[in-house]
Amino acid sequence: MSATVSEQGAARLLRGADHLLIVSHAAPDGDTVGAAFALGRAMQILGKSVRIECSDAIPHRYDYLFSGVKPQQFEPQAVVAVDIADRHLIGERLSAQCKQVLLCIDHHVSNMKYADHTLVDAHAAATCEIVARVIQALGVAFDREIASAVYTGLASDTGCFRYSNTTPATLRCAAAMSEYGADTARINKILFETVSLARLRIESGALASLELLYDGRIAMMTVPLELMKSADACEEELEGIASLPAQIEGVQAGITVKEKQPGFYKISMRTDGSVNASRVCAGLGGGGHPCAAGCEFRGTLDQAKAAIAGLVGKALLQEAP
Amino acid sequence: MSATVSEQGAARLLRGADHLLIVSHAAPDGDTVGAAFALGRAMQILGKSVRIECSDAIPHRYDYLFSGVKPQQFEPQAVVAVDIADRHLIGERLSAQCKQVLLCIDHHVSNMKYADHTLVDAHAAATCEIVARVIQALGVAFDREIASAVYTGLASDTGCFRYSNTTPATLRCAAAMSEYGADTARINKILFETVSLARLRIESGALASLELLYDGRIAMMTVPLELMKSADACEEELEGIASLPAQIEGVQAGITVKEKQPGFYKISMRTDGSVNASRVCAGLGGGGHPCAAGCEFRGTLDQAKAAIAGLVGKALLQEAP
């Protein structure tokens, strides 16, 4: 059983602990990394021994956070997990060290309460928003490093305050971090205005395949294996690409057909809400959410496109107002 | 001579006025339109007759603002200009009606003080940030419509809080507007996640021409007339496209060569600050800012590319640390 704790409760636990291992989730993003470095620095300011680890390598774009936490070697006595909804998301490399987790700080509604103590706020746009409140409860003064780490999480998980999870509290927290010295313009440039050449080549190639169907209400694009190879792109570089077709004016459903292996396709669907993507993808054995879903298909590319287009078209006729 | 007024001074002027024409600048953007609708609604709530006009058509993406201000027919007795730094930016259609401007509210440091009374705050990220303070000084309670209009300006002029002009005050103002009911998620989707098919086709075609030079320190792409025609794109749809090449990892200078007429090119240059774009473009008779500049070129496409690449390469060798 996990005990639910408040920010004050989490702060009491942390003040009583030392030689802490703070863990970010595998395949780390800006929120889990920002939360670890913000909390890590706050604890080091309190004189605690702290080490930050992640089962996977932390991407180089977050290098600016490393100066905030001194590297320290010691035998961990307690583990704190940040932004980790379930034990298996800790990842393989650290799973043995993280059998017992003292405290989990998280904003996922799906948190599995695997830690001895859990602080979850599903209304927070980012775990960093909660970590900022814990640091306040710890009585540590925010400095530029803590502020930059917290801001990294806020901006990452909200698409720079664009997504609907952004609340007035998120924006006020960002304002405070900016006042505490976070280099917001530089962080935004790193997070949102830097792309790899491979990603641009993939976008260019995929957009060239764009087709509009059903009077422009469906947009479909393909990402063949050949394009991935010629652009020298890895899977990571496809992140978010499936949202492109649905961003076109007037398009109600955007489809992306990605060739995973010859004759095997992954289909992603995004909608403006007027068509239920999850229901459409269920027709091909997939599923997801009303505005974002997916399924798989075996056959030729033309068969894959015809199958999904047929189902989407039918749904448009049935579901449109 | 223009008198400088405070928010309170502007509010006094507005309370004493009626039958107001509120004017947005020509080629309207989200800030000038948002400011006009926010102020227009506040004045109508105070019982004033207000009309909003713009020399150019207001783009359809701002249609959601129109419900906030009742259409009223009357002979204007006073003109208020919002986000208009200079008289000629009012545009041709309204220039005769705007010979005398009672009040100008603006955030451009370059404001020419052409109005009888001027309220300028060059530290404000958006004119809407100042208009929000004026509405507060007027004592009008913010409702969903005013909040949505103000938020539109804040988000527009900061690239959704990404650009370096974003201050803690901007973020706090956005937080307040969100609390007053602004539909931030919907507005963000309209402003930042909706693109035209023509724009995507232009991006795809331009990115296909991408070349990396000088060990990947220079990225260059071209937008030929033929691409504009085949994509059925207008000039407006090229907005911001010149920033793409400089966003590639490791690129210090991004160059976009746009064919304006056969044999006539417009060259745009963006840098990460390590090369002075303005100085480079001056070598071809152009100019601009250190990180964003441009010039023109007559000749063949290959000549244009060779000329600018040569100058940028030389600058890289001289200016790099």
Side-chain angles (χ1 to χ4, degrees):
Chain A
M1 266 303 286
S2 179
T4 299
V5 293
S6 64
E7 283 78 0
Q8 281 68 29
R12 264 195 304 275
L13 273 173
L14 290 166
R15 260 193 239 103
D18 200 350
H19 297 90
L20 279 183
L21 178 63
I22 303 181
V23 180
S24 289
H25 63 68
D29 59 20
D31 192 26
T32 195
V33 173
F37 277 86
L39 190 60
R41 181 166 178 92
M43 293 300 283
Q44 285 194 347
I45 289 173
L46 287 175
K48 310 286 188 178
S49 293
V50 172
R51 196 158 68 232
I52 293 168
E53 291 204 38
C54 180
S55 277
D56 295 326
I58 294 175
H60 282 300
R61 63 173 167 282
Y62 304 117
D63 278 356
Y64 62 91
L65 293 174
F66 281 75
S67 63
V69 176
K70 288 191 295 276
Q72 296 179 321
Q73 286 308 318
F74 55 84
E75 193 58 41
Q77 288 169 12
V79 173
V80 177
V82 286
D83 198 44
I84 307 184
D86 197 355
R87 186 182 289 282
H88 76 270
L89 298 171
I90 290 169
E92 253 189 67
R93 196 175 68 79
L94 296 177
S95 64
Q97 278 179 81
C98 298
K99 288 237 157 66
Q100 191 175 9
V101 176
L102 172 70
L103 170 66
C104 170
I105 305 175
D106 187 23
H107 73 129
H108 293 96
V109 68
S110 58
N111 188 286
M112 296 300 290
K113 310 277 170 73
Y114 57 89
D116 298 345
H117 303 84
T118 305
L119 167 56
V120 177
D121 176 3
H123 296 289
T127 292
C128 275
E129 213 177 305
I130 314 169
V131 164
R133 299 196 302 248
V134 171
I135 291 172
Q136 205 162 23
L138 280 168
V140 174
F142 285 77
D143 62 7
R144 170 183 296 261
E145 280 74 20
I146 294 177
S148 292
V150 169
Y151 183 86
T152 297
L154 301 179
S156 292
D157 264 21
T158 59
C160 210
F161 314 105
R162 256 192 315 144
Y163 305 154
S164 57
N165 60 346
T166 308
T167 68
T170 321
L171 291 162
R172 289 213 174 87
C173 186
M177 294 310 120
S178 174
E179 273 167 348
Y180 290 131
D183 195 350
T184 57
R186 183 166 151 254
I187 296 171
N188 291 343
K189 187 166 164 47
I190 291 171
L191 297 180
F192 304 108
E193 290 176 14
T194 306
V195 293
S196 71
L197 179 62
R199 168 61 181 239
L200 281 186
R201 292 213 192 283
I202 290 286
E203 277 191 24
S204 172
L207 288 173
S209 75
L210 201 66
E211 291 171 74
L212 291 197
L213 310 166
Y214 289 80
D215 288 328
R217 296 165 69 192
I218 303 177
M220 180 145 67
M221 74 178 191
T222 54
V223 183
L225 271 178
E226 219 181 78
L227 176 60
M228 293 293 287
K229 265 186 238 162
S230 71
D232 196 19
C234 58
E235 198 59 26
E236 199 188 304
E237 267 146 346
L238 289 180
E239 198 193 315
I241 202 162
S243 65
L244 279 179
Q247 290 181 7
I248 299 169
E249 279 170 329
V251 168
Q252 293 171 268
I255 310 289
T256 305
V257 182
K258 214 165 65 188
E259 187 182 17
K260 300 292 287 181
Q261 293 159 30
F264 179 56
Y265 302 89
K266 237 191 116 166
I267 299 174
S268 301
M269 179 171 173
R270 300 286 181 272
T271 77
D272 66 353
S274 61
V275 198
N276 189 313
S278 177
R279 222 176 292 159
V280 169
C281 289
L284 290 171
H289 305 278
C291 293
C295 57
E296 297 175 345
F297 190 88
R298 282 177 196 281
T300 67
L301 178 59
D302 282 343
Q303 285 169 342
K305 286 163 65 177
I308 186 72
L311 288 175
V312 181
K314 214 172 109 187
L316 270 180
L317 295 178
Q318 284 169 353
E319 302 189 33
Chain B
M1 264 305 286
S2 179
T4 298
V5 293
S6 65
E7 283 78 0
Q8 281 69 28
R12 262 194 305 277
L13 273 174
L14 290 165
R15 260 193 240 104
D18 202 349
H19 296 92
L20 279 182
L21 178 63
I22 302 181
V23 179
S24 289
H25 63 68
D29 59 21
D31 191 27
T32 194
V33 172
F37 277 86
L39 189 61
R41 181 166 178 91
M43 294 299 284
Q44 285 194 346
I45 289 173
L46 287 175
K48 309 286 188 179
S49 293
V50 172
R51 196 159 68 234
I52 292 168
E53 291 205 39
C54 179
S55 278
D56 295 327
I58 295 174
H60 282 299
R61 64 174 166 279
Y62 304 116
D63 279 356
Y64 61 90
L65 293 174
F66 280 74
S67 63
V69 175
K70 289 192 294 277
Q72 296 179 319
Q73 287 308 317
F74 54 85
E75 193 59 40
Q77 288 169 13
V79 174
V80 177
V82 286
D83 198 44
I84 307 183
D86 197 356
R87 185 183 290 280
H88 76 269
L89 298 171
I90 290 170
E92 252 190 67
R93 196 175 66 80
L94 296 177
S95 64
Q97 279 180 80
C98 299
K99 288 238 156 65
Q100 191 175 9
V101 176
L102 172 70
L103 170 67
C104 171
I105 305 175
D106 187 24
H107 73 128
H108 292 96
V109 68
S110 57
N111 188 286
M112 296 301 288
K113 310 277 169 75
Y114 58 88
D116 297 346
H117 304 83
T118 305
L119 167 57
V120 177
D121 175 4
H123 296 290
T127 292
C128 275
E129 213 177 305
I130 314 169
V131 164
R133 300 197 300 249
V134 171
I135 291 171
Q136 205 162 23
L138 279 169
V140 174
F142 285 77
D143 62 7
R144 171 184 295 261
E145 279 74 20
I146 294 177
S148 292
V150 169
Y151 183 85
T152 298
L154 301 179
S156 292
D157 264 21
T158 59
C160 211
F161 315 107
R162 256 191 314 143
Y163 306 154
S164 58
N165 61 346
T166 308
T167 69
T170 321
L171 291 162
R172 290 213 174 88
C173 186
M177 295 309 121
S178 174
E179 273 167 346
Y180 289 131
D183 194 351
T184 57
R186 182 167 152 253
I187 296 171
N188 291 342
K189 188 166 164 49
I190 291 171
L191 297 180
F192 304 108
E193 290 176 15
T194 307
V195 293
S196 71
L197 179 63
R199 168 60 182 241
L200 281 186
R201 291 214 193 283
I202 289 286
E203 277 191 24
S204 173
L207 288 174
S209 76
L210 201 66
E211 292 170 74
L212 292 197
L213 310 166
Y214 289 81
D215 287 328
R217 296 165 69 191
I218 303 177
M220 179 144 66
M221 73 177 190
T222 54
V223 183
L225 271 179
E226 218 180 78
L227 176 61
M228 294 292 288
K229 267 186 238 163
S230 71
D232 196 19
C234 58
E235 197 60 25
E236 200 188 303
E237 268 146 345
L238 289 180
E239 199 192 315
I241 202 163
S243 65
L244 280 177
Q247 289 181 6
I248 299 169
E249 279 170 331
V251 167
Q252 293 171 267
I255 310 290
T256 304
V257 182
K258 214 165 64 188
E259 186 183 18
K260 301 291 287 179
Q261 292 160 29
F264 178 56
Y265 301 90
K266 236 190 116 165
I267 299 173
S268 301
M269 178 171 174
R270 300 287 181 273
T271 78
D272 66 353
S274 61
V275 197
N276 189 313
S278 177
R279 222 176 292 158
V280 169
C281 289
L284 290 170
H289 305 278
C291 293
C295 57
E296 298 175 344
F297 190 88
R298 284 178 194 281
T300 68
L301 178 58
D302 282 343
Q303 286 168 343
K305 286 163 66 176
I308 186 73
L311 287 175
V312 181
K314 214 173 110 187
L316 269 180
L317 295 178
Q318 284 169 355
E319 302 189 34

